[in-house]
Amino acid sequence: MVHECKICGYVYDEVKGDPKGNIPVSPGTPFEQISPEWHCPICDAAKDYSFVEKASPSFPQ
């Protein structure tokens, strides 16, 4: 599952996490388990108000 920032389009991918963010998030961390203090690493938007859930992109195998 991925979550997209409504402001800048940054995509949080649960598989990749955000190890370099303001609050590092380990790969495999579900979006719901990220601290409420975590912000978008691109535009600094708040997690709770600026992200929408989207299906993970599917790739041909």
Side-chain angles (χ1 to χ4, degrees):
M1 190 63 60
V2 298
H3 290 77
E4 183 176 346
C5 179
K6 296 185 288 186
I7 295 171
C8 72
Y10 169 79
V11 174
Y12 172 79
D13 185 340
E14 293 178 353
V15 173
K16 297 178 182 177
D18 182 26
K20 296 181 180 180
N22 68 313
I23 297 175
V25 179
S26 298
T29 302
F31 191 76
E32 295 75 23
Q33 292 181 4
I34 298 173
S35 168
E37 287 81 28
W38 179 85
H39 289 171
C40 175
I42 304 299
C43 70
D44 204 38
K47 171 196 170 215
D48 292 338
Y49 304 105
S50 302
F51 281 80
V52 293
E53 185 175 27
K54 298 206 171 201
S56 295
S58 58
F59 298 100
Q61 295 184 355

